[in-house]
Amino acid sequence: MANIKSAKKRILVNRTKYERNKSIRSAVKTAIKKVEAAVAAKDKTAATAALLNATSVIDKAATKGVYHKNNAARKVSRLAKAVNSL
């Protein structure tokens, strides 16, 4: 364990950020799985609705710095391509 006050604070702050980022990444993965499940079921309306939600969740994650903007754009693009293929 750290002895210096600033090092102790960094440990606490990093743990808080880690938990927040983990929650956001989990939400993104869940949203992506919902889109992929709708595409697998060939349900165009459900896939479109899920895509809209997933896009929002992914963009928020990118805004908060959890994902790089290009990574987020790639995820959205792949999902949109999958939905449009129906």
Side-chain angles (χ1 to χ4, degrees):
M1 184 67 189
N3 290 325
I4 298 170
K5 188 175 182 181
S6 62
K8 290 179 182 177
K9 182 180 178 182
R10 289 304 331 149
I11 290 169
L12 294 174
V13 170
N14 286 337
R15 188 176 300 145
T16 304
K17 285 184 178 183
Y18 169 77
E19 291 297 330
R20 177 179 145 259
N21 292 346
K22 188 169 143 186
S23 171
I24 293 170
R25 276 195 304 269
S26 176
V28 168
K29 287 179 188 177
T30 303
I32 289 172
K33 284 179 187 173
K34 285 182 181 176
V35 175
E36 290 172 346
V39 169
K42 298 192 187 288
D43 188 355
K44 179 83 171 170
T45 56
T48 306
L51 175 65
L52 196 63
N53 179 48
T55 302
S56 173
V57 172
I58 293 169
D59 287 343
K60 283 179 186 174
T63 301
K64 292 176 181 177
V66 179
Y67 286 111
H68 188 274
K69 64 177 185 165
N70 291 355
N71 188 348
R74 185 178 68 242
K75 287 180 187 299
V76 171
S77 175
R78 287 179 179 170
L79 291 176
K81 185 178 178 184
V83 171
N84 289 336
S85 69
L86 290 177

